[in-house]
Amino acid sequence: MSADPGSVRYPVPSGSLAARLPAAALAAGSVGALASAVNRLLVSRGRDPHTWVLDAERIAASFTADRLMRIGGEPVQGFAPMSGFFAAADGWVRTHANYPHHRTRLLAALDLPADADPGMLSVRIGELSASDVENRCADADAVATRVRTEEEWAAHPQSLAASAGPLVAMTATGAHSGAALSVADPVRPLAGLRVLDLTRVLAGPVAARALALLGAQVLRVDPPHLHEIDWQHRDTGQGKRSTLLDLTTAADLDTMRGLVATTDVLVTGYRPGSLDRFHLTGDAPGLVRASVSAWGDRGPWASRRGFDSIVQAASGIALVEGGEHPGVLPAQVLDHASGYLLAAGIVDAVTRRDADARGRDVSVSLARTARTLLDLPGRVASPAQPLAVGPSAAITHGAITTARPALPGYSEYPFPAHDWGADAPHWV
């Protein structure tokens, strides 16, 4: 998904995403991929393409929204106390316990009581090997990984599986009988497109938020028993409506199937295969099915849970950025970049559907994006400290301050995030 000549102008990377690895280049490249895809859509529908001038500070602000965000003037907490690096008996592990059910599983996997504190967790992990912690957590459906070098990861079966194929995978599916959408407003070229957002945390919600920015009607659907972390929803829920459906009940499953039958794009971010039992997409010809996963849909870890921080640790990024003690990228770069790449793939799938009336499957994985970052040129031995973004990259609505969109030409999203689950499960 390369840019058309002269249509996307890339900035000199700012210091806001300074790192040993070229995180700023990956960030700009992913946003540029979306801009290029929009241009291909515009040209295919007889409109002039935009000349996009990407803004390094706006991109950095969007990617570091957790540091920029304020709710009632107060900063938000990016990670829970039990999410982080812990020293094992023979190395390091990274845990993820931001959600209550992940914390519960982590403690159970390590034979700790439900009221254990981070100190008790640290002591317990120190008694075990890093591989033991990783395997116990995998068996318990908890989230933790051994911190690996990039050489160890390159030889790992999951790395080999996830690294195969394109950065954004796309395959054609069934025929579609509907007419192509017209572009009445080149600023909102996806107006009329219906998008169901069945994703959580960052990468998938970022992709669907980008589609909403471009004019699509986006309805996010969550199970009522898994409440989203509020600040994440306030950030990635901008421009979307939010509803709750329990797919284990017949009534809500029927409602969901009705929504899928009338949507253009279904975006999912749950583990590969986890929604198959609901048989949601069998009667939806022409549907663009987009998915994001941590590890890809093949390999021994395909069904494992994972997040940006976990993939950074497993893939070698953490040791590249740290040293003896693991470090981190200056943002959840894998999540955000994967989200923009998925959005670009979706726009391209819609463009191709106009031409051949066929739906598409589009997918990205954080592990594949990590491989791209590790392979990019431009590493530095001693990066500067990341700079804070300026106030012009933020916008405030009521009590909520968030980052402006990364895509140039848009000062803000169509509307602030609705309260989680506040909307009815139907199209407007």
Side-chain angles (χ1 to χ4, degrees), residues 242-282:
S242 170
T243 196
L244 304 179
L245 290 174
D246 182 353
L247 301 189
T248 65
T249 68
D252 281 6
L253 182 55
D254 282 347
T255 299
M256 174 61 81
R257 287 174 175 161
L259 287 169
V260 172
T262 54
T263 195
D264 297 287
V265 179
L266 174 66
V267 189
T268 60
Y270 295 89
R271 288 175 293 170
S274 60
L275 295 175
D276 290 353
R277 68 188 188 277
F278 298 117
H279 305 292
L280 294 177
T281 62

Side-chain angles (χ1 to χ4, degrees), residues 105 108-111 124 128-142:
R105 290 173 186 162
L110 300 179
D111 301 319
R124 178 57 175 150
L128 303 170
S129 71
S131 293
D132 194 7
V133 174
E134 181 179 82
N135 292 333
R136 282 169 174 254
C137 288
D139 291 342
D141 212 13

Side-chain angles (χ1 to χ4, degrees), residues 20-378:
R20 288 178 175 166
L21 292 168
L26 176 66
S30 66
V31 176
L34 176 57
S36 296
V38 171
N39 276 354
R40 289 189 285 274
L41 175 67
L42 290 170
V43 170
S44 74
R45 294 179 178 176
R47 304 301 294 261
D48 293 332
H50 297 309
T51 296
W52 303 92
V53 181
L54 302 187
D55 184 320
E57 187 172 47
R58 285 270 294 270
I59 292 171
S62 183
F63 276 57
T64 60
D66 57 328
R67 297 205 299 270
L68 186 67
M69 192 168 200
R70 297 291 184 271
I71 299 179
E74 296 297 321
V76 301
Q77 181 180 17
F79 286 96
M82 290 192 179
S83 296
F85 293 108
F86 293 89
D90 61 349
W92 292 90
V93 298
R94 175 90 195 207
T95 62
H96 193 287
N98 284 7
Y99 289 99
H101 58 292
H102 290 164
R103 179 185 184 279
T104 298
R105 290 173 186 162
L106 175 66
L107 296 177
L110 300 179
D111 301 319
L112 287 169
D115 61 351
D117 59 28
M120 295 171 66
L121 176 65
S122 179
V123 170
R124 178 57 175 150
I125 290 176
E127 299 170 346
L128 303 170
S129 71
S131 293
D132 194 7
V133 174
E134 181 179 82
N135 292 333
R136 282 169 174 254
C137 288
D139 291 342
D141 212 13
V143 189
T145 189
R146 178 165 74 86
V147 176
R148 290 170 169 80
T149 67
E150 58 181 312
E151 293 78 16
E152 288 176 318
W153 179 245
H156 193 281
Q158 189 56 47
S159 174
L160 296 172
S163 299
L167 183 56
V168 181
M170 184 184 303
T171 57
T173 57
H176 174 60
S177 58
L181 299 173
S182 61
V183 178
D185 180 358
V187 177
R188 302 178 70 252
L190 299 185
L193 196 77
R194 291 176 170 179
V195 178
L196 278 177
D197 177 10
L198 276 65
T199 67
R200 297 177 69 79
V201 194
L202 288 180
V206 164
R209 184 185 64 184
L211 303 180
L213 181 69
L214 295 167
Q217 181 183 170
V218 180
L219 177 63
R220 172 161 166 168
V221 183
D222 283 289
H225 62 284
L226 289 178
H227 201 293
E228 183 58 286
I229 296 170
D230 184 65
W231 76 262
Q232 289 179 175
H233 175 70
R234 296 293 173 187
D235 178 34
T236 63
Q238 296 177 90
K240 308 176 188 178
R241 294 166 59 245
S242 170
T243 196
L244 304 179
L245 290 174
D246 182 353
L247 301 189
T248 65
T249 68
D252 281 6
L253 182 55
D254 282 347
T255 299
M256 174 61 81
R257 287 174 175 161
L259 287 169
V260 172
T262 54
T263 195
D264 297 287
V265 179
L266 174 66
V267 189
T268 60
Y270 295 89
R271 288 175 293 170
S274 60
L275 295 175
D276 290 353
R277 68 188 188 277
F278 298 117
H279 305 292
L280 294 177
T281 62
D283 298 322
L287 180 66
V288 174
R289 298 182 298 194
S291 65
V292 57
S293 63
W295 308 109
D297 57 6
R298 293 176 294 172
W301 287 13
S303 62
R304 284 194 186 185
R305 299 180 188 276
F307 297 90
D308 184 303
S309 59
I310 297 296
V311 177
Q312 285 190 41
S315 66
I317 290 172
L319 289 180
V320 172
E321 292 298 333
E324 277 190 34
H325 189 293
V328 295
L329 295 170
Q332 303 293 287
V333 174
L334 305 181
D335 259 331
H336 287 273
S338 296
Y340 286 106
L341 291 167
L342 185 62
I346 292 167
V347 174
D348 277 333
V350 170
T351 301
R352 296 180 187 184
R353 188 178 72 171
D354 288 354
D356 64 11
R358 300 183 69 184
R360 296 289 190 287
D361 285 343
V362 183
S363 64
V364 300
S365 75
L366 304 189
R368 182 66 181 83
T369 303
R371 179 75 268 153
T372 297
L373 176 60
L374 288 164
D375 289 343
L376 283 175

